[in-house]
Amino acid sequence: MSTLHWFARLSGALAVAVTAMAPAHAAWEPTKPVEFVVPAGTGGGADQMARLIQGVVVKHNLMKQPLVVVNKSGGAGAEGFLDVKNAKGDPHKIVVTLSNLFTTPLATGVPFNWRDMTPVSMMALDNFVLWVNAETPYKTAKEYLDAVKAAGPNKMKMGGTGSKQEDQIITVSIEKASGTKFIYVPFKGGGDVAVQLVGKHVDSTVNNPVEAVAQWRAKQLRPLCVFDDKRMPYPAKITDTQAWQDIPTCKESGIDSSYTMLRGIFMPPGVTEDQKTFYVELLKKVRATPEWKDYMEKGAFNQTSMEGEAYFNWLAKTEQMHRELMKSAGFLAN
């Protein structure tokens, strides 16, 4: 063997050995604090979920960098969504979404669509419940809607969060299903909505369970029905006599209306697959903790979760559903 040939083979063997000894490519992870945008005010369901996730990440040391919650609620959430849309390629920013992901651009014409961001994970679906003040005589949704109908159009007030958003869409759906007509009264957030019903400033609300559970436990509010296709699967008693699973669906109660709200996580556009994968795996770890499971039960969430193609397809289908609902209600921007 020639000396030159021997050196060539030796060099090749050394190259293979060095490659084998080299550490595997390290997975991406944040290198600075991550901004967690909430496109809604403080105290509401999205804010509560973001802060719960933040607390779980800290408690279980799931991320080396801090997760910093920032509320950007202007323009019915448009401020937060546009901020994330414009942060192209920035993996140090995530956003928790409500269904205003669909309703805000459809109602306002703001130049934004969910496809302008990177879908990461559906964390859960939030339920809506029809609530009345506990001092009223209404024990069922039928009794209450019969009273609304008897009172005549625009006599009874329905409180909800925002205008031309989820709560008002559900209200219009109730009206169409029951032949009633409410005065819809918008408030800034679900916490305020519950307080207004306790104070009898409105006659009913369509509010998320987590936003009114404290008032239900205190026997100030009464749930009449849930707008999901099936009852909530939680048997623990909230009051002396009732659990979430005891609340009938609105369809059971004769109201042909159902609606659940997205609680999902997105990133800005233009991030890499490795960067997205970090958050997908992080959120799976969050969902596996006892704190998350407890939060899901206390808030009576529908615990559907998904990622990838299934999540993308769900988003496309749900956007179309919102477009049809809002068109029928006359809520689409001109």
Side-chain angles (χ1 to χ4, degrees):
M1 181 186 296
S2 70
T3 302
L4 185 62
H5 190 195
W6 184 84
F7 271 115
R9 290 188 64 179
L10 178 62
S11 298
L14 285 172
V16 170
V18 169
T19 301
M21 292 168 61
H25 171 67
W28 182 89
E29 59 182 276
T31 56
K32 63 180 183 178
V34 174
E35 185 176 303
F36 196 176
V37 177
V38 179
T42 57
D47 184 64
Q48 290 182 40
M49 179 170 285
R51 294 180 191 278
L52 185 278
I53 293 172
Q54 178 192 47
V56 167
V57 167
V58 171
K59 180 176 180 180
H60 293 275
N61 196 26
L62 301 180
M63 199 168 82
K64 294 175 184 177
Q65 294 291 333
L67 189 60
V68 183
V69 175
V70 180
N71 295 83
K72 298 184 179 182
S73 61
E79 176 191 6
F81 291 132
L82 289 173
D83 177 61
V84 176
K85 172 187 174 180
N86 293 330
K88 185 175 182 179
D90 182 0
H92 294 92
K93 190 186 290 280
I94 61 175
V95 59
V96 60
T97 60
L98 306 75
S99 292
N100 62 353
L101 177 72
F102 311 112
T103 58
T104 294
L106 288 170
T108 66
V110 64
F112 168 77
N113 183 275
W114 64 268
R115 292 176 177 82
D116 295 329
M117 303 189 298
T118 302
V120 177
S121 177
M122 176 194 288
M123 296 300 289
L125 294 171
D126 209 346
N127 281 308
F128 283 84
V129 172
L130 176 62
W131 301 89
V132 293
N133 190 292
E135 294 180 7
T136 63
Y138 316 117
K139 298 296 191 293
T140 67
K142 183 179 185 306
E143 288 178 5
Y144 175 60
L145 292 176
D146 284 348
V148 175
K149 191 178 293 187
N154 299 314
K155 299 295 184 183
M156 306 281 266
K157 296 178 181 178
M158 177 74 83
T161 300
S163 297
K164 298 182 180 180
Q165 296 181 51
E166 302 90 355
D167 296 32
Q168 192 170 11
I169 291 171
I170 295 171
T171 300
V172 171
S173 177
I174 296 170
E175 291 173 341
K176 291 189 174 184
S178 62
T180 54
K181 182 66 177 175
F182 290 94
I183 299 171
Y184 179 78
V185 185
F187 298 99
K188 288 185 178 180
D192 192 22
V193 171
V195 169
Q196 295 297 321
L197 184 56
V198 170
K200 301 181 181 178
H201 303 296
V202 293
D203 299 290
S204 57
T205 64
V206 281
N207 215 351
N208 303 129
V210 73
E211 294 172 332
V213 64
Q215 290 85 356
W216 182 28
R217 185 177 289 111
K219 301 180 181 179
Q220 296 171 314
L221 299 183
R222 178 182 299 128
L224 299 182
C225 66
V226 61
F227 290 89
D228 203 347
D229 290 327
K230 57 185 178 182
R231 292 194 181 201
M232 296 174 280
Y234 301 109
K237 290 286 190 286
I238 304 299
T239 67
D240 297 341
T241 58
Q242 276 194 306
W244 290 116
Q245 69 177 15
D246 296 322
I247 301 171
T249 67
C250 294
K251 287 188 175 181
E252 281 181 72
S253 307
I255 306 170
D256 188 16
S257 176
S258 64
Y259 187 95
T260 52
M261 181 166 66
L262 172 66
R263 299 292 188 191
I265 305 295
F266 284 70
M267 294 174 71
V271 297
T272 68
E273 197 63 29
D274 273 0
Q275 290 164 346
K276 185 178 84 168
T277 297
F278 171 83
Y279 291 104
V280 169
E281 295 305 317
L282 173 72
L283 295 167
K284 284 181 182 177
K285 293 173 186 174
V286 168
R287 289 198 297 270
T289 64
E291 291 84 3
W292 179 263
K293 295 178 188 301
D294 182 61
Y295 177 70
M296 288 289 100
E297 182 169 352
K298 286 182 177 176
F301 286 89
N302 176 325
Q303 294 191 47
T304 302
S305 63
M306 60 182 73
E307 295 96 18
E309 185 179 359
Y311 187 27
F312 187 94
N313 291 339
W314 184 92
L315 289 164
K317 179 181 176 182
T318 305
E319 178 188 32
Q320 183 57 31
M321 178 199 76
H322 278 86
R323 180 175 282 108
E324 291 169 2
L325 284 172
M326 294 178 70
K327 182 179 180 180
S328 68
F331 291 165
L332 290 181
N334 295 327

